[in-house]
Structure formats: C-alpha cells, structure tokens
Amino acid sequence: GPVMLDLAGVVLTAEDRELLQHPAVGGVILFARNYADPQQLAALTAAIRAVREPRLLVAVDQEGGRVQRFRSGFRRLPPAAAFGELARRESLQAGLRAAQLAAWLMAAELQAVGVDFSFAPVLDVDRGLCQAIGDRAFAQEPAAIAALTTAWMQGARRAGMASVGKHFPGHGGVEADSHLALPCDGRSFDTLWREDLTPFRQLVGQGLEAVMPSHVVYPAVDSQPAGFSSRWLREILRERMGFQGAVISDALDMAAAEAAGGFVERSQAALNAGCDLLLLCNNRPAAIQVVEALADHHSPAAQTRLARLYSRHFTPHAQVQQHPYWQEANALLEQLAAGASTDLSFDPTTRGGSVV
C-alpha cells in the first residue's frame, strides 16, 4: 500500500494490528516513543513483520546528531556536519572514510533489531539560513556534500541498507521551517540545478534507492511545493535526472503540507505528483481516513520501487560486533564525539515526532 504510518507505543495494540492489515498500508515509521531498549524494539519489529505478507516496511529517522530516534543502547552518531568538518580539518579521504563507517554502523545496528532503513542522508546545502537543517547538512559546498553522502550511501549499502536522500531539491535556501510554515525559495532553476541539485544528481547517478521531496515552493519552477509537484517529481527528477528509485513524501502532518488541502486531498495530490509512499504521522484519525480513501489504490510500478527498500540483512547484534568494521567504526566515532560541538538547542524530535 501507499501509506506509511506511526504507532503510539512500544507494543502493537489490537487497533494497530487491524490498521496495519489494511491494503492501503505499506509500512511503519518508528519514533523515540516506540523505543525502550534494543530487545523491546526487536520484538516490536518482529510483531510488525508478522502482521501480513508481503511484510510491511519499517523505517526510522536515524541521521545522527539532533535527529536520532534510538539513542540509549545504540551508538550515538555525530551530526552530519562533523564529517564535513573532518574533511576540511584533516583530509577529504578522512571525511569520506568516517561517513562510510558511520553509515555502515548505523545500518548494521538498525537491521539487527529489524528496521529496514533510515531516512538518510540529508543532501541539503547548509547556507546558514535554515535552522531546521543546520548541522544536519554535511557541508556548505555542494561538491563536498555529494562526495560525503556518496560515501554514506556506500557504507549503508555494505551493511545491506537502502538510502533515502532528502529534501529534494534542497531545503537549505530558505529560512522558514516547513514544520511550521510554507517556505518559498525564489532562486532560479539554473541556480538550483548548479548548486542544490548537485548532490542529488551525483547520488541518483550512483543508484540512490529513494528520495524524499521537500515541502518547499520554488516559484521559478512550480507554484506547488516540490512534494506535490509533478513538474519536480516526474519531469525533473525522473525524466531529466533519470531517477529510478522510490519517492517518499515528507510527513503530511507538517504545516507546509496544508497548502495541498485536507489529509485526503494532500495524499491524492502527492500520489498524483509522483510519490510512491506517503508518510502520515501523529494523527491516527487522519491516517484511518486516508487509508480508507486509498483502499483501491494500486501501482505495480511503485510497489516494485518500494520493494528495493526491504533489508535482507537482519544480522544479530552479537554477530555484527564480529565484523571487521565494528571496532574501526566505533573508535572513529569516539574520536569525532570527543571533538564535536553539536548544538542541541533546536531539536526537530520535539516537534511532535514528524519526519524532518
């Protein structure tokens, strides 16, 4: 199904099980409220997988820094900017190796508890404008971001996990936070193509498995936010850039998504624009309303693209610790943590748990 929704707690309720069996549901996104410890999380994901066949996708935001849903019991990951800083301070090769190892460790730990993928990496350019992005961006230079996020994607792949590049075509050129308002980026398409789209073009060329579009309007291209724009998703992303992966909407409960109407209207608009999977979080009545409206929705092409996001490497944690990368990754992240100066004053995890 085309809907990925959330859960209230650390176990499945009877209502959860009934809803997850609906044909319009395709996955579950987990938040900090769904986590107590690795053992509980593994039991929860196993219960989700057992609800139906083909099994539902299970995802989480586990970028690192401010946006890491599972913390205690997991390796604390640095913000993405730490890899860019390392590349500048020491060498590009050092930054690339660190990004690759961190992504491998993130992916290996998540898969050990039954999570298919994380919504990462962030491909936005940090222009010092958007507090919602900030140190979640790998760097300020598009070429550096492209290199570092390619290394991140490669690390995740080595662990068996797909990557989701966000927020297409770039959220770094606006000041407003799309959780709270509808941002507008007035730059020309040529500027966006040359700068903000550089990381996306690089990773698409390397087979990026999924993209999350932004809830930002780029009036030089379309009057609709990118996630509701067929111009952006079908003409530019798929036709011009040759993207073959899945398109996953940003959370439809965000304030910026209200531009597309009510929950059913914005869901239909996102699907019509070219989204394959819709994120509906923190509003169970709206989720029920949408899945009922989409009960007959069927897209074999979208299902094929989404099938690439399943993990097939649910390796137990004890076995992960025997991998040659384990010690190197942990030692390197310890070094980064010792020198990190992460600003936690703005934490998107406090905004109701929305995907960011």
Side-chain angles (χ1 to χ4, degrees):
V3 177
M4 176 173 270
L5 44 75
D6 61 339
L7 306 171
V10 295
V11 296
L12 288 185
T13 65
E15 181 187 86
D16 291 333
R17 292 179 188 277
E18 180 180 1
L19 183 57
L20 294 183
Q21 290 172 356
H22 193 285
V25 177
V28 174
I29 176 170
L30 300 175
F31 293 98
R33 65 174 179 267
N34 305 122
Y35 177 68
D37 55 57
Q39 293 73 31
Q40 166 272 324
L41 183 58
L44 176 60
T45 60
I48 293 169
R49 292 198 302 276
V51 165
R52 57 193 283 189
E53 187 66 36
R55 65 179 178 82
L56 298 169
L57 287 164
V58 180
V60 68
D61 275 310
Q62 193 84 341
E63 299 171 17
R66 295 176 286 156
V67 184
Q68 180 169 343
R69 306 307 190 199
F70 310 146
R71 299 190 178 192
S72 175
F74 281 78
R75 178 77 227 182
R76 287 299 301 271
L77 302 169
F83 305 111
E85 292 171 3
L86 180 63
R88 287 192 299 271
R89 186 176 67 249
E90 295 189 15
S91 69
L92 176 59
Q93 192 58 42
L96 297 178
R97 182 61 174 167
Q100 186 179 78
L101 286 170
W104 176 87
L105 184 59
M106 175 276 300
E109 286 198 314
L110 287 181
Q111 290 171 134
V113 292
V115 176
D116 288 294
F117 66 91
S118 169
F119 289 100
V122 170
L123 305 186
D124 302 314
V125 178
D126 178 19
R127 301 182 179 282
L129 293 173
C130 188
Q131 193 180 22
I133 302 301
D135 65 2
R136 296 170 63 204
F138 281 76
Q140 297 178 336
E141 307 80 19
I145 295 170
L148 290 162
T149 54
T150 295
W152 177 279
M153 181 174 66
Q154 291 170 343
R157 275 186 185 161
R158 289 190 177 185
M161 179 176 284
S163 292
V164 182
K166 59 187 186 184
H167 307 81
F168 177 84
H171 202 307
V174 294
E175 184 174 352
D177 176 2
S178 53
H179 294 87
L180 308 175
L182 177 60
C184 182
D185 189 332
R187 290 176 297 161
S188 69
F189 175 74
D190 287 344
T191 298
L192 292 167
W193 182 262
R194 187 176 61 252
E195 298 178 7
D196 297 61
L197 280 167
T198 291
F200 288 95
R201 291 191 285 125
Q202 169 84 6
L203 268 68
V204 166
Q206 298 292 322
L208 177 64
E209 294 89 353
V211 160
M212 176 181 284
S214 69
H215 290 322
V216 176
V217 174
Y218 308 84
V221 177
D222 197 345
S223 61
Q224 295 297 315
F228 303 105
S229 167
S230 61
R231 179 88 191 277
W232 274 114
L233 301 184
R234 297 189 188 276
E235 295 181 25
I236 297 173
L237 179 60
R238 293 216 182 274
E239 295 178 15
R240 181 164 179 174
M241 295 173 60
F243 179 62
Q244 300 296 314
V247 178
I248 305 175
S249 81
D250 207 341
L252 295 181
D253 65 303
M254 291 164 61
E258 295 173 5
F263 280 96
V264 172
E265 289 77 17
R266 67 187 77 167
S267 298
Q268 292 282 11
L271 290 173
N272 292 339
C275 288
D276 298 311
L277 190 65
L278 311 173
L279 290 180
L280 275 165
C281 314
N282 308 305
N283 192 327
R284 180 54 65 87
I288 294 173
Q289 184 182 19
V290 169
V291 298
E292 290 178 351
L294 299 179
D296 297 326
H297 179 85
H298 183 61
S299 173
Q303 290 174 336
T304 299
R305 290 189 285 261
L306 291 169
R308 297 178 62 200
L309 305 184
Y310 283 116
S311 171
R312 295 171 178 84
H313 297 266
F314 294 138
T315 306
H317 200 266
Q319 189 174 337
V320 170
Q321 291 179 314
Q322 303 304 313
H323 194 283
Y325 285 174
W326 176 263
Q327 288 188 342
E328 183 182 0
N330 275 279
L332 191 149
L333 292 179
E334 287 283 358
Q335 294 174 10
L336 283 180
S341 56
T342 306
D343 176 15
L344 297 177
S345 60
F346 177 85
D347 185 355
T349 63
T350 65
R351 298 205 183 282
S354 291
V355 177
V356 289

